[in-house]
């Protein structure tokens, strides 16, 4: 495993629509491992392959399934070719940051709940029902696969130095 460089705006790969994954070979498994390690080293709650300059539809997320309890355990999700197949009508505002957009945070409206379907790292079908922050992280990461960044959706933007709140980066 190794830590890969996280690319930043205005790197063009961040703006491309990423390609579907069809090959679950050793090189792909290594990419997944490296993404998990990179996310942990960078202290992120999620990472999408375009952020390590690989235009492929794979995301990693590490966040509690239910964060309403303090000290809820984190869960690692690896999802390939993910698609949001259902979303709640209710939306919530939250402040997001992104490893590829340093020193900026923004308020983004997201669906409160989503159902995501895709494949696991070995190509087997999987489904995740997420709510709250976990749902937000999935929406943020899947946006990355379509070349969309949180700054495109943000209704307000601040410099990190202007706010006191600690904001999860994705
Ligand atoms: Ni991000």
């Amino acid at each position: 495993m190794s830590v890969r460089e996280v690319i930043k705006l205005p790197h063009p790969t961040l703006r491309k629509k990423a390609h579907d994954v069809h090959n679950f070979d050793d090189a792909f498994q290594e990419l997944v491992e490296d993404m998990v390690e990179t996310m942990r080293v960078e202290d992120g709650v999620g990472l999408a392959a375009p952020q390590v300059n690989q235009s492929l539809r794979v995301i990693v997320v590490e966040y509690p399934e239910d964060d309403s309890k303090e000290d809820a355990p984190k869960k690692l999700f690896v999802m390939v070719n993910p698609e949001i197949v259902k979303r709640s009508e209710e939306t919530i505002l939250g402040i997001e940051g992104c490893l590829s957009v340093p020193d900026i945070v923004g308020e983004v409206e997201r669906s409160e709940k989503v159902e995501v379907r895709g494949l696991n790292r070995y190509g087997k079908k999987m489904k995740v029902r997420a709510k709250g922050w976990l749902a937000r992280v999935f929406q943020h990461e899947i946006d990355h696969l379509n070349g969309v960044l949180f700054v495109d959706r943000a209704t307000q933007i601040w410099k990190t130095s202007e706010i006191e709140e600690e904001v999860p980066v994705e």
Side-chain angles (χ1 to χ4, degrees), residues 111-166:
S111 302
E112 212 244 317
K113 291 180 193 164
V114 290
E115 184 177 315
V116 187
R117 285 185 198 214
L119 304 173
N120 72 9
R121 59 187 290 182
Y122 306 111
K124 192 164 172 271
K125 277 185 190 169
M126 68 177 280
K127 179 171 85 180
V128 174
R129 286 204 186 96
K131 60 177 183 175
W133 261 100
L134 183 63
R136 174 174 298 277
V137 181
F138 271 99
Q139 290 169 82
H140 177 117
E141 301 313 331
I142 292 169
D143 269 354
H144 272 298
L145 306 182
N146 296 318
V148 175
L149 297 163
F150 81 92
V151 286
D152 306 333
R153 298 194 186 276
T155 46
Q156 284 195 73
I157 281 176
W158 300 271
K159 285 187 184 157
T160 317
S161 56
E162 292 170 341
I163 61 154
E164 281 174 20
E165 209 174 314
E166 214 178 289

Side-chain angles (χ1 to χ4, degrees), residues 45-118:
V45 295
L47 192 72
Q51 293 182 275
V52 292
N53 203 15
Q54 297 292 313
S55 204
L56 288 171
R57 301 186 82 80
V58 53
I59 62 172
V60 296
V61 171
E62 194 164 47
Y63 196 76
E65 272 189 294
D66 178 5
D67 65 357
S68 59
K69 291 174 218 118
E70 230 178 284
D71 295 326
K74 285 187 199 171
K75 187 172 172 183
L76 176 66
F77 300 88
V78 175
M79 213 160 180
V80 179
N81 305 340
E83 250 187 275
I84 295 171
V85 293
K86 270 188 212 163
R87 52 171 82 239
S88 62
E89 268 178 47
E90 315 91 82
T91 59
I92 36 171
L93 288 170
I95 299 177
E96 295 179 17
C98 180
L99 294 168
S100 297
V101 190
D103 307 321
I104 287 175
V105 295
E107 186 179 61
V108 184
E109 187 175 11
R110 300 280 189 190
S111 302
E112 212 244 317
K113 291 180 193 164
V114 290
E115 184 177 315
V116 187
R117 285 185 198 214

